[in-house]
Amino acid sequence: MIDVGSFDADILAIQGGQHRGGAMRILQGIIACATIAIASAATAAVKMGEPAPPFELTLIDGTKVRSTELRGQVVVLNFWATWCGPCKAELPLLDNYYRLRKPNGLRVFAVATEDSLPASKLKPLFAAMAIPSARRIKGPFAAMGALPTNYIIDRAGVVRYAKAGAFDLDDLNTLLVPLLREPAP
């Protein structure tokens, strides 16, 4: 709950040109709320059962991958962070699954969130993974308030799955195997 008296005092301190710790906390809170609102508005454009909005991934090596280039493949966009416990369990599972199912038309992209370690510190991990790692994504896809967040796009470019939460092997088989069996359009 916000202490209104403290809030008013901090606003007065800001208006008076003084800097207080409370004012900084208010500013940080406003920035955090704005970030959440932007992410929520962006992910609102991504709807299950509808065509995926266009996006462009910038991979760690600088290569760009556009959604139009992925047509005819089943795509998983996985948003994760180095500090996220469920992400640490899910990423090796996704990597192994990708290695097995890539010949069937599966593409998985691991998108590290901005609050993860710098890409330079993650290079050993990226070198060991078969999943391409992205440093950013342009378009409406983003983490959905929790990590990991996963999106699945079918061969026709339709969003079939969009949720926060880690996959297990049963989830991957249930969600992906039927899509991988569908013919490319």
Side-chain angles (χ1 to χ4, degrees):
M1 176 164 248
I2 297 174
D3 177 3
V4 177
S6 172
F7 182 81
D8 290 341
D10 288 332
I11 295 298
L12 290 173
I14 292 169
Q15 290 173 340
Q18 300 171 355
H19 171 53
R20 292 187 177 182
M24 186 56 74
R25 283 191 301 275
I26 290 170
L27 183 58
Q28 290 169 336
I30 291 169
I31 292 169
C33 289
T35 302
I36 291 169
I38 290 169
S40 296
T43 57
V46 179
K47 294 184 174 35
M48 285 185 18
E50 293 188 11
F55 63 90
E56 180 182 86
L57 294 156
T58 302
L59 304 183
I60 294 300
D61 66 3
T63 305
K64 296 193 185 297
V65 178
R66 290 173 186 80
S67 53
T68 54
E69 299 166 21
L70 299 170
R71 201 56 97 138
Q73 299 175 66
V74 176
V75 178
V76 176
L77 299 175
N78 171 257
F79 290 81
W80 69 285
T82 53
W83 51 263
C84 167
C87 300
K88 291 177 188 179
E90 180 187 55
L91 203 53
L93 173 67
L94 275 173
D95 192 57
N96 286 330
Y97 202 85
Y98 174 67
R99 289 173 195 266
L100 292 171
R101 299 292 184 184
K102 183 179 178 186
N104 303 105
L106 179 64
R107 296 294 303 268
V108 178
F109 296 93
V111 184
T113 59
E114 291 180 11
D115 53 354
S116 288
L117 292 173
S120 61
K121 293 195 177 198
L122 294 173
K123 281 188 180 182
L125 171 67
F126 296 150
M129 289 183 359
I131 297 173
S133 300
R135 59 178 151 180
R136 76 175 156 265
I137 185 168
K138 285 184 187 175
F141 293 90
M144 299 175 116
L147 292 173
T149 292
N150 290 289
Y151 297 89
I152 298 175
I153 304 166
D154 70 13
R155 295 181 189 276
V158 174
V159 177
R160 294 287 196 96
Y161 182 92
K163 288 186 184 176
F167 288 134
D168 63 22
L169 184 56
D170 287 339
D171 294 331
L172 291 174
N173 284 327
T174 299
L175 294 164
L176 294 174
V177 168
L179 299 178
L180 290 168
R181 287 184 177 150
E182 291 178 359

